[in-house]
Amino acid sequence: MTALGQEAKHSVVVLHQLIERMFNQPSGEDDTFHLLLSHFHPDFRMVTPQGRQLDLNQTEELFRQLQGKREGMRIATSEHAVISQQKDEVTIQYRELQMMNGSDQTRIALAILDCSTSIPRWRYLHETLVA
């Protein structure tokens, strides 16, 4: 895996650690929410597992609604694979496992990250539930 590929993989891990922390704590406890948002490109787009398309503002609103609402949730990522790399942009696929109260949900995700800045910024994310 190239250095940019390693950066993208690290970003996947860090972003999901921030999401897990944000899900588990009420707003205002620390700067997790703002740190989380700093990982997204202004032109960010997302397709949720339910097929809903979100832009950055809608994604921010979704996170605000979920902040502190999933106490006990744990998130792990694995099977990180760089699909392509064009200059400073990396497309990475990974598996995400969300665990909460004995219920597990697995997703396969495809993300495009702009790695031209010190913190890679997510440009696109498409999540698909695994049956």
Side-chain angles (χ1 to χ4, degrees):
M1 192 176 289
T2 66
L4 280 183
Q6 288 291 350
E7 261 187 72
K9 177 184 174 183
H10 181 73
S11 182
V12 168
V13 172
V14 168
L15 185 72
H16 286 82
Q17 289 170 343
L18 290 169
I19 292 169
E20 178 183 296
R21 187 182 326 157
M22 194 252 338
F23 281 168
N24 278 281
Q25 64 184 217
S27 63
E29 282 199 8
D30 64 14
D31 65 346
T32 300
F33 190 81
H34 294 292
L35 184 56
L36 172 69
L37 291 179
S38 72
H39 286 261
F40 293 100
H41 191 278
D43 297 329
F44 177 76
R45 297 278 186 263
M46 172 181 182
V47 178
T48 69
Q50 296 76 27
R52 190 168 161 221
Q53 296 184 46
L54 306 176
D55 63 16
L56 181 58
N57 291 331
Q58 293 164 316
T59 302
E60 179 179 347
E61 182 57 33
L62 176 65
F63 282 133
R64 284 192 192 285
Q65 292 170 5
L66 295 173
Q67 188 165 11
K69 301 281 195 293
R70 295 189 175 171
E71 190 174 335
M73 176 176 270
R74 297 293 169 249
I75 301 173
T77 63
S78 62
E79 302 177 28
H80 306 90
V82 172
I83 302 300
S84 72
Q85 180 179 329
Q86 304 294 322
K87 288 191 174 190
D88 293 330
E89 192 170 87
V90 176
T91 302
I92 188 166
Q93 180 178 307
Y94 60 93
R95 182 175 290 264
E96 176 184 340
L97 173 62
Q98 294 186 1
M99 303 157 281
M100 187 170 159
N101 302 326
S103 177
D104 296 352
Q105 184 182 77
T106 302
R107 307 160 187 231
I108 293 179
L110 184 73
I112 300 172
L113 284 71
D114 174 355
C115 296
S116 66
T117 58
S118 60
I119 296 175
R121 293 172 64 177
W122 290 56
R123 294 183 60 82
Y124 180 79
L125 174 64
H126 190 128
E127 298 182 318
T128 303
L129 291 175
V130 175

